[in-house]
Amino acid sequence: MARIDRLFDELLSRKGSDLHLGIGYPPLVRARGELIALRDTPLDTAEMEALLFEITTPEETRRIVDELDLDFAYSYADKARFRANYFYKTTGLAAVFRTIPSKILSLDDLGCPEIARRLSERTSGLILITGPTGSGKSTTLAAMIDHINRSRACHVLTIEDPVEFVHSPIKAHITHREVGPDAGSFASAIRSAGREDADVILIGELRTNETMKLALQLASFGVLVFGTVHTNSAAATIDRIINAFPADEQLQVRGMLAESLAAIIAQQLLRTKDGTGRVAAHEILVGSSALSAMIREGKTFQITNLMQAGRSAGMQTMDMALERLVKKDTISVQAALEKAIDKDSFQKLFPDAQGA
């Protein structure tokens, strides 16, 4: 048993999402959104190196020393997997471990809208899951891939850095590729994906305009492509993708995006009103001829109105999702107001709660 596994036991027993390790600080666990110290005494350099380098390979140890940064996945027996990030800061070596549950939660378990299931059943197009770091994008993606795995015979290819959720084949054939050990880069793995007879491709993160363009091309070839982007809203996601390209390429990218975009699910995590956990609020934009026209014409400012009018197609704005969670008494008005896009309008919906 590695020494760090004792800290993982603490993390799991507290149902925490992250373990933070830094020299000069005690080990910290994020549980229900708050950081909690596991002990009073801080970590020193010797203990930190002993904890972190006991679970890395010689090649991984060389990379953190040479490149000052390392991402990998660590499996703790059959209890859980963790996405590890080692890095250096002013006080020295540090690390953050994100919990990846060994059990993949279903769309029902997560309380995802029904449209998420219908989108998973598509056979082509680009579906983007967006939101800030720690908003549960990977968990939602895993649930959508799990639904595909349970419902149809197809080839699912995931390209990640590192591989997070490991799917065992049920009806689908699953191929996991990890950037680093299995592929030189996201771009090279995505290029190769077109020759691997995949029906569904999950791309861990669309970080560059090259990976974005390759994902758009795959989606236009009749493949269902999932990807994540670090943006807070559907409209911002479209602008982010287009603006990632030089001006002379943007017209072409608008055309590709208008043709291939199936949906954007932008999500935020909020503490529940009773303080026992967290719940996701989803903004949902579904592809349509109206959306395609807006993308081609650069009228992304009209997307909010499109989502407000598109309830029958499963669409909703973030503020609509937050309003629903408040009315269900799942979250507080104050928590919703922090995440609301139009805070003034949202506050007017609940005048009795103002100042509460």
Side-chain angles (χ1 to χ4, degrees):
M1 179 179 183
R3 279 165 285 195
I4 200 169
D5 289 346
R6 296 182 179 87
L7 296 178
F8 291 143
D9 283 334
E10 283 273 1
L11 175 67
L12 296 172
S13 69
R14 294 171 185 261
K15 298 183 179 178
S17 61
D18 300 86
L19 172 67
H20 291 248
L21 302 178
I23 294 167
Y25 297 89
L28 300 168
V29 162
R30 186 177 294 280
R32 294 182 293 278
E34 296 183 354
L35 284 174
I36 303 163
L38 294 182
R39 69 187 199 197
D40 295 328
T41 54
L43 292 159
D44 59 24
T45 301
E47 185 180 8
M48 177 67 82
E49 292 182 353
L51 286 169
L52 298 189
F53 292 146
E54 185 178 8
I55 62 170
T56 55
T57 65
E59 171 61 19
E60 288 168 341
T61 303
R62 181 200 63 75
R63 281 175 55 199
I64 181 61
V65 171
D66 292 351
E67 301 173 19
L68 308 181
D69 196 278
L70 175 68
D71 289 305
F72 68 101
Y74 174 71
S75 295
Y76 175 23
D78 59 355
K79 295 185 178 183
R81 281 168 54 82
F82 300 93
R83 185 179 69 207
N85 175 230
Y86 289 13
F87 56 97
Y88 280 90
K89 57 180 183 176
T90 51
T91 56
L93 186 61
V96 176
F97 294 86
R98 165 65 52 84
T99 306
I100 306 169
S102 52
K103 178 181 182 293
I104 296 173
L105 298 177
S106 69
L107 291 169
D108 288 338
D109 292 334
L110 296 175
C112 289
E114 174 60 26
I115 186 64
R117 188 186 316 278
R118 298 207 302 270
L119 290 170
S120 303
E121 292 168 357
R122 287 184 59 105
T123 55
S124 65
L126 176 65
I127 297 174
L128 298 174
I129 312 295
T130 78
T133 300
S135 58
K137 297 185 295 296
S138 297
T139 304
T140 298
L141 267 177
M144 295 177 83
I145 295 296
D146 181 67
H147 178 69
I148 293 169
N149 188 18
R150 293 177 182 278
S151 59
R152 58 186 158 121
C154 61
H155 180 201
V156 177
L157 168 65
T158 79
I159 302 167
E160 300 171 83
D161 180 20
V163 170
E164 296 190 27
F165 292 89
V166 176
H167 298 265
S168 299
I170 301 173
K171 286 191 173 180
H173 171 55
I174 311 284
T175 300
H176 293 291
R177 295 196 73 195
E178 184 167 320
V179 175
D182 307 321
S185 66
F186 271 106
S188 64
I190 298 169
R191 282 194 208 93
S192 171
R195 300 186 294 273
E196 291 165 18
D197 191 32
D199 303 287
V200 179
I201 300 172
L202 183 155
I203 303 168
E205 188 176 349
L206 297 172
R207 296 177 181 172
T208 65
N209 59 6
E210 183 182 19
T211 56
M212 290 174 185
K213 195 167 189 176
L214 289 166
L216 286 167
Q217 288 171 345
L218 281 173
S220 70
F221 294 159
V223 178
L224 182 61
V225 180
F226 292 90
T228 67
V229 184
H230 288 282
T231 46
N232 291 335
S233 70
T237 303
I238 292 171
D239 289 338
R240 162 81 181 277
I241 291 172
I242 293 166
N243 293 332
F245 291 85
D248 61 342
E249 294 183 38
Q250 289 183 5
L251 185 62
Q252 179 195 14
V253 172
R254 283 185 187 280
M256 294 173 70
L257 193 57
E259 180 185 332
S260 301
L261 185 63
I264 298 174
I265 299 176
Q267 66 181 57
Q268 302 267 9
L269 271 188
L270 300 92
R271 288 191 70 183
T272 54
K273 191 172 181 179
D274 61 12
T276 60
R278 293 193 288 176
V279 64
H282 304 92
E283 176 171 278
I284 300 171
L285 174 66
V286 179
S288 65
S289 57
L291 177 62
S292 295
M294 289 177 190
I295 294 172
R296 284 195 173 93
E297 296 166 15
K299 295 181 178 178
T300 52
F301 61 89
Q302 296 179 348
I303 284 176
T304 297
N305 292 336
L306 180 66
M307 289 187 290
Q308 290 171 340
R311 291 187 190 216
S312 61
M315 289 194 263
Q316 63 185 18
T317 65
M318 179 57 68
D319 289 359
M320 289 164 65
L322 293 169
E323 180 186 351
R324 188 173 291 113
L325 289 171
V326 170
K327 288 181 174 176
K328 287 172 63 178
D329 210 32
T330 304
I331 60 174
S332 68
V333 175
Q334 289 72 26
L337 191 57
E338 286 180 13
K339 303 291 187 181
I341 306 299
D342 186 345
K343 297 186 188 301
D344 290 339
S345 296
F346 192 87
Q347 202 162 28
K348 290 173 184 174
L349 294 171
F350 303 97
D352 296 341
Q354 292 183 29

